[in-house]
Amino acid sequence: MTSDVLPRSLAQSSRVPVAVSCRAIEKGFGQGETRVRVLRGADFEARAGEMTFLVGPSGCGKTTLISIFGGLLTPDAGTVEVFGTDLRRLSGGRLADFRVSTIGFIFQQFNLLPTLTAAENAAVTLIAQGVPTRRAVTVATELLGRLGLGAHIRKSP
């Protein structure tokens, strides 16, 4: 499937820039005998405008890989570039700024703030980017409407 932003012929072309590139990713959790190696030399690439599905059995490392190229986890080894930026070269604050301005997540655990409405929850990232609250909520409300969620904008999670 192609993006609304890119013409169909361009989105299917190898000339489309690589949005995410992970090479030889290694990641484990725990220490000593209890250490579990989740990713062993994983490679992943997605181009701008592509819709990509990461599919596999439970426990195979899908969430770990997404968390790595989303800048939430640091790999033990390998390279991670998002829109040409090497995430391993970004310090904590610069990485947080990069995530706010570049990466969006829809969490499977529904990490929504229970005291905010749907529109306010959707506006949180815009507010973190410095968009005034009223404008951020207006934009979020419009986007939720376009996604067919307009009836839920004032509801809490």
Side-chain angles (χ1 to χ4, degrees):
M1 179 173 270
T2 60
S3 165
D4 290 336
V5 177
L6 296 173
R8 180 179 207 85
S9 60
L10 182 59
Q12 294 173 343
S13 166
S14 62
R15 296 180 310 210
V16 174
V18 173
V20 177
S21 175
C22 298
R23 298 285 176 248
I25 299 296
E26 303 276 336
K27 183 65 181 175
F29 297 98
Q31 295 185 2
E33 292 183 20
T34 62
R35 182 162 179 82
V36 176
R37 289 182 60 208
V38 178
L39 298 174
R40 299 178 193 102
D43 294 327
F44 176 83
E45 184 175 279
R47 295 189 175 276
E50 285 184 337
M51 180 179 289
T52 303
F53 296 89
L54 196 55
V55 181
S58 179
C60 74
K62 299 179 301 288
T63 300
T64 300
L65 183 61
I66 290 169
S67 296
I68 288 172
F69 65 70
L72 298 173
L73 288 176
T74 303
D76 298 330
T79 61
V80 181
E81 287 190 5
V82 177
F83 298 111
T85 300
D86 182 348
L87 297 189
R88 296 192 72 176
R89 293 184 181 263
L90 298 179
S91 64
R94 289 180 59 215
L95 181 58
D97 289 343
F98 182 80
R99 275 195 311 265
V100 164
S101 66
T102 310
I103 299 169
F105 286 97
I106 299 174
F107 293 97
Q108 63 189 13
Q109 293 88 7
F110 305 109
N111 290 345
L112 300 172
L113 301 171
T115 59
L116 301 180
T117 66
E120 291 165 339
N121 267 291
V124 166
T125 301
L126 292 171
I127 294 166
Q129 292 175 354
V131 175
T133 301
R134 181 174 280 156
R135 175 72 183 136
V137 172
T138 298
V139 169
T141 298
E142 291 170 3
L143 290 173
L144 289 172
R146 288 175 56 193
L147 294 170
L149 298 171
H152 302 283
I153 60 173
R154 290 186 183 89
K155 293 181 182 178
S156 297

